[in-house]
């Protein structure tokens, strides 16, 4: 069975795991997935570069999945059947911590995400509990690999409680940021997209942003005041994970506004904490996604209005995965998603 593994910093191997030539065995309540596509995401790139503090090395990466059900075990609900196209909820939840007790399993204190704290989906077959398998309706397995990252952006919009009277600034137009742009626009908000890349900003307009700001060539503060008639954005969603963008979010949000943070900053961040009080801000984290977010993304993608091909920067084979990752590392701002195809046509 072909398996991609990150073995050390900037080292990736294609290996044969046990059960070569066979499909893994499943138990009651489990589902065997035949993997067709898996996306490399920003956390996988960070792992490859040795910058992911959450990862347990060595690790099989991958948690953005498009697959087909191969077999089902006993005690699996009738809604899951062999041959069905599915995606995957890659997070675990203990059911006992404060997050789980409060009905927010996406933020489980003991979560283990596929490809980070436990081996992921970059292999030909994957066995999961049936609860983590999500039917994908009319989507193709290729499109399914985009569902998880967009759902993270959808969840951030829920955390921000965005409505149709809000002006929302989304900082960062990667896949997660694009999800936040789509969901905010769906809710009727006026969306402003900010990024360093004009190509990504053009796509952000196609996905629902009414305004765009290139943060390297434009005066962000002046543009925001102009767009909002001096009020500043009601909501800022930080989808980059840098000290500069965290500070921008707090500085630029309106008085009594909401800041939602998705990205992990790699360094300590200094704030003018007077803004927390003077503006009476709501500052919220947003982690992973809920099952309802996955369903909402699938519903959106089923409409066929999303330019899926523009979100896929490269599609390649397991044999070329390391080469693709090294290319991404050289130009991280130019890539939305790299999909690894495991065949099985």
């Amino acid at each position: 069975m072909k398996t991609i593994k990150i073995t050390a910093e900037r080292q990736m191997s294609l290996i044969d795991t046990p059960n070569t030539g066979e499909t893994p065995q499943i138990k009651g309540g489990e589902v065997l997935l035949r993997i067709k596509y898996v996306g490399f995401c920003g956390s996988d790139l960070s792992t490859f570069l040795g910058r992911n503090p959450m990862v347990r090395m060595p690790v099989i990466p991958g948690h953005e999945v498009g697959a087909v059900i191969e077999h089902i075990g006993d005690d699996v609900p009738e809604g899951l059947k062999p041959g069905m196209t599915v995606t995957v909820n890659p997070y675990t939840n203990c059911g006992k911590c404060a997050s789980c007790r409060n009905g927010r399993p996406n933020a489980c204190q003991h979560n283990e995400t596929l490809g980070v704290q436990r081996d992921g989906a970059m292999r030909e077959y994957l066995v999961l509990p049936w609860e983590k398998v999500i039917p994908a309706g009319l989507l193709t397995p290729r499109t399914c690999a985009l569902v998880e990252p967009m759902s993270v952006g959808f969840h951030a919009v829920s955390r921000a409680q965005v409505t149709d009277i809000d002006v929302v600034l989304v900082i960062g137009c990667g896949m997660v940021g694009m999800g936040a742009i789509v969901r905010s626009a769906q809710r009727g908000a006026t969306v402003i997209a900010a990024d360093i890349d004009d190509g990504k900003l053009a796509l952000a307009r196609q996905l629902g942003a009414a305004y765009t700001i290139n943060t390297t060539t434009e005066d962000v503060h002046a543009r925001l005041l102009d767009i909002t008639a001096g009020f500043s954005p009601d909501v800022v969603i930080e989808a980059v994970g840098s000290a500069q963008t965290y500070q921008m979010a707090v500085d630029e949000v309106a008085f009594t506004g909401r800041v939602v943070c998705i990205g992990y900053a790699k360094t300590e961040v200094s704030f003018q904490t007077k803004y927390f009080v003077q503006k009476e801000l709501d500052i919220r984290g947003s982690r992973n996604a809920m099952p309802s977010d996955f369903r909402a993304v699938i519903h959106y993608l089923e409409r066929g209005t999303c330019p899926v091909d523009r979100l896929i920067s490269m599609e390649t084979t397991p044999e070329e995965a390391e080469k693709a990752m090294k290319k991404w590392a050289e130009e991280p701002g130019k890539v939305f998603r790299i999909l690894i195809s495991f065949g099985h046509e």
Side-chain angles (χ1 to χ4, degrees), residues 31-48:
V31 176
L32 175 64
L33 302 181
R34 181 160 41 102
I35 301 298
K36 300 193 104 176
Y37 291 92
V38 184
F40 273 134
C41 77
S43 63
D44 297 321
L45 177 61
S46 294
T47 298
F48 181 73

Side-chain angles (χ1 to χ4, degrees), residues 238-268:
E238 195 287 329
V240 176
S242 73
Q244 292 84 356
T245 52
Y246 264 73
Q247 290 165 342
M248 182 188 298
V250 172
D251 290 348
E252 300 299 343
V253 72
F255 275 63
T256 67
R258 287 100 72 197
V259 175
V260 174
C261 304
I262 309 173
Y264 286 99
K266 307 302 186 294
T267 60
E268 292 185 1

Side-chain angles (χ1 to χ4, degrees), residues 4 85 97 105 271:
I4 296 169
T85 297
C97 71
F271 291 105

Side-chain angles (χ1 to χ4, degrees), residues 3-184:
T3 302
I4 296 169
K5 180 170 283 192
I6 299 174
T7 54
E9 183 177 330
R10 294 182 181 269
Q11 294 183 20
M12 185 180 293
S13 299
L14 178 63
I15 60 176
D16 283 335
T17 58
N19 296 323
T20 299
E22 303 176 6
T23 58
Q25 299 300 304
I26 58 175
K27 299 178 291 188
E30 293 183 335
V31 176
L32 175 64
L33 302 181
R34 181 160 41 102
I35 301 298
K36 300 193 104 176
Y37 291 92
V38 184
F40 273 134
C41 77
S43 63
D44 297 321
L45 177 61
S46 294
T47 298
F48 181 73
L49 295 175
R51 301 173 185 169
N52 188 346
M54 307 291 287
V55 74
R56 295 176 186 169
M57 293 284 285
V59 68
I60 300 170
H63 54 256
E64 302 174 359
V65 180
V68 172
I69 295 177
E70 184 82 352
H71 297 299
I72 59 173
D74 296 333
D75 302 319
V76 171
E78 292 183 1
L80 297 175
K81 300 180 182 298
M84 179 180 288
T85 297
V86 297
T87 190
V88 164
N89 182 332
Y91 326 120
T92 64
N93 56 284
C94 69
K96 300 177 182 178
C97 71
S99 300
C100 292
R101 182 182 63 183
N102 291 329
R104 292 160 66 177
N106 59 294
C108 175
Q109 181 178 350
H110 307 292
N111 167 66
E112 294 186 347
T113 299
L114 287 173
V116 185
Q117 295 91 356
R118 58 187 173 131
D119 282 337
M122 286 280 178
R123 40 184 155 171
E124 292 186 88
Y125 293 94
L126 181 66
V127 176
L128 287 175
W130 70 263
E131 295 92 340
K132 299 301 180 181
V133 178
I134 303 172
L138 302 176
L139 301 187
T140 66
R142 182 172 180 263
T143 301
C144 283
L146 305 180
V147 171
E148 191 274 342
M150 292 195 80
S151 73
V152 175
F154 273 46
H155 182 67
V157 173
S158 294
R159 292 283 293 141
Q161 296 177 300
V162 170
T163 72
D164 59 350
I165 63 172
D166 288 321
V167 176
V168 179
L169 169 64
V170 178
I171 306 175
C173 295
M175 277 294 299
V176 171
M178 291 298 187
I181 289 166
V182 168
R183 194 56 164 167
S184 296

Side-chain angles (χ1 to χ4, degrees), residues 171-200:
I171 306 175
C173 295
M175 277 294 299
V176 171
M178 291 298 187
I181 289 166
V182 168
R183 194 56 164 167
S184 296
Q186 284 184 333
R187 292 191 175 197
T190 300
V191 183
I192 307 167
D195 200 274
I196 62 173
D197 184 81
D198 286 332
K200 289 184 177 180

